[in-house]
Amino acid sequence: DKTGTLTTGELVVEQLVPLDISEAAARTWVGVYAAAATMRNATIDALRTAFPAATHRPSDEVPFDPRYKWSALRGGDADWDGWWYLGAPEMVLSACTATAPSQRAAILAQVTALAETGQRVILCARGAAGPLGEADAPSLPGDLRALALVVLTDALRPQARVTLDGFAQAGVTLKLISGDHPATVLALARQAGFPPETQQLTGADLSALDETAFARAVATTTVFGRMTPDLKARVITTLRQQGAFVGMVGDGVNDIPALKSAQLAIALGSGSTATRGIADLILLRDSFAPLPQAVREGQRIRHGVEAVVKLFLARGVFVAALIVMTSIIGLDFPFSPRQNALLSFISGALPALALVAWAAPGTLTRDGIIRPLLRFVLPAGIALGIAGIGVMLAELWIAGGLRGTQPLSAGEFLQARTALTVYGSLATVLLLPLVAARSTRLSRDRRILALAAGLVVGSLAVVAMPWLRTAFELTALRWVDLVIIAGGVIGWGVLLMFYARWRPIRQMLHIAED
């Protein structure tokens, strides 16, 4: 929010342009106004520094409000009588009917030219009448006379371009919502690195649109100028309705509605107490440089958690499918506690540590977390279970357990359990490249592939070493067992491909076409 997202926030008076009075009179008037104003902000502080003057006590005052973007004072003595106005040129100039129309047009053109260079411009005017309307919603009277323009500059933050590049790399779309002149904000945005084709709109432009056009404009526009607090909040709400996760940066009381509408409220450390009080995050040094890194770290954590959840849920569906299938055919649970511990360690604990440690940042999908999990877990877990029960049945058939009424011996059942344990370890380990990938393609991280290969070797090594076989209640594998296990792993891959490619399944799980 505000041009301050790109600038240091330290306004400096660059130029004073007298319009209908001498430069000396303009300097005196601006200095007296700034000294008399009771409401302090960056603009008033800059004016006080540039034009020091003795303090006059006003007899009446209308503080600056971002809704109408001007302030007013009434002089309290003979040397400073009448009402004096200070604010956005477009707002105040419309009430300057005492100034000739041709001069007003020239002033507006001059303001636009200055704004297009990234400078802020405020207009000073005077009139005999005070503001009209209620105190909480005043309006400008007519018959004001434009007196002078004050041009202020604000330097870009040193890290502005680097910060913007960091946001772009993290997949974050930036929008500048400001109460300043849109040309000023657009010029500063381009100086900071926004592309030349960056679009801009004013609050008046947005207010004139219907709901459909408003939503379209919010989605396609980058710079919003002369925005009121309510319009800022409406823009944030619209972005959220379009599926975006919105973080809002603000510093003033006028930013509070928008901050409350955002999912992440970020306040500047130099901002108002009320703004800091509702913020989720406070930038103590007013520096935006840490934000891209914070976004990337959040993405990395999210991807790591998603990968681990996918792995464990796929294993859970695998075990649940085995329980259901073995119950249907009247077999005991296919794993002993020791075998299950080995399976959990090889295909769960070690991979989970690696997935969390090696997770990479990247753009997050707008589908949430449930739907992507279902897209992966259901096909993978069910395919694991079907192929696993196939391995179990093949082992039992070879042992003769399904060909007669005689019960299986302990050794035959142990042989089948061993084959199923090794299959489970190999098949779930081979899930790692898929789990680590953020698309339907295999992960290209060689560390993940190396870990998967190492765990495969480790699984076979456990069965090859007699003392480890004894510790985990396993038995030696025969060549026929290895053929069955290999067939199960290949069958799992074929089933997974079938589930992932079959159109009805893809439509049910909302899997997009490649």
Side-chain angles (χ1 to χ4, degrees), residues 321-395:
L322 284 179
I323 292 174
V324 172
M325 294 175 188
T326 53
S327 298
I328 291 175
I329 61 178
L331 295 175
D332 293 333
F333 185 72
F335 301 119
S336 69
R338 293 189 181 186
Q339 293 165 350
N340 193 44
L342 174 64
L343 184 61
S344 299
F345 182 75
I346 291 179
S347 62
L350 286 179
L353 289 174
L355 290 173
V356 171
W358 297 339
T363 304
L364 300 174
T365 66
R366 294 189 177 184
D367 292 339
I369 192 170
I370 301 301
R371 186 177 295 175
L373 286 177
L374 291 178
R375 294 174 187 172
F376 181 86
V377 168
L378 290 182
I382 294 174
L384 276 171
I386 293 174
I389 201 66
V391 170
M392 188 77 171
L393 292 176
E395 286 287 339

Side-chain angles (χ1 to χ4, degrees), residues 90-250:
E90 314 94 277
M91 309 300 176
V92 179
L93 197 60
S94 62
C96 293
T97 56
T99 301
S102 59
Q103 188 179 3
R104 293 204 302 270
I107 293 172
L108 193 59
Q110 188 176 10
V111 168
T112 302
L114 289 169
E116 288 175 349
T117 64
Q119 296 174 305
R120 299 186 186 184
V121 185
I122 55 177
L123 176 66
C124 313
R126 182 185 178 187
L132 306 176
E134 301 295 331
D136 60 343
S139 61
L140 290 167
D143 203 31
L144 298 185
R145 183 164 58 98
L147 300 181
L149 294 174
V150 181
V151 183
L152 302 101
T153 59
D154 192 358
L156 282 174
R157 295 177 184 271
Q159 71 278 16
R161 183 178 292 273
V162 176
T163 301
L164 295 182
D165 291 342
F167 277 126
Q169 293 171 5
V172 177
T173 300
L174 295 181
K175 295 184 181 292
L176 300 181
I177 309 174
S178 175
D180 293 327
H181 194 292
T184 300
V185 187
L186 183 60
L188 290 171
R190 287 173 175 169
Q191 292 174 25
F194 278 79
E197 63 273 14
T198 299
Q199 299 296 314
Q200 65 166 332
L201 281 175
T202 66
D205 296 332
L206 283 177
S207 299
L209 301 176
D210 58 30
E211 288 295 329
T212 302
F214 186 95
R216 188 183 307 114
V218 167
T220 58
T221 304
T222 301
V223 174
F224 301 88
R226 292 295 185 231
M227 296 286 284
T228 64
D230 291 340
L231 269 179
K232 292 179 184 179
R234 187 179 172 193
V235 168
I236 300 299
T237 301
T238 301
L239 289 172
R240 292 188 59 177
Q241 291 171 349
Q242 293 172 351
F245 185 95
V246 184
M248 165 74 183
V249 183

Side-chain angles (χ1 to χ4, degrees), residues 5 25 41 54 58 63 72 75 100 107 110 148 175 225 274 280-281 327 329 357 367 404 443 467 475 485 503:
T5 55
N41 55 37
I107 293 172
Q110 188 176 10
K175 295 184 181 292
D280 302 305
L281 182 67
S327 298
I329 61 178
D367 292 339
S443 171
W467 64 275
T475 188
I485 292 170
R503 184 173 294 275

Side-chain angles (χ1 to χ4, degrees), residues 8 15 34 62 82 145 203 236 273 330 352 407 414 458 478 482:
T8 61
Q15 185 181 4
V62 178
R145 183 164 58 98
I236 300 299
T273 303
L414 178 59
R478 303 163 298 181
L482 294 175

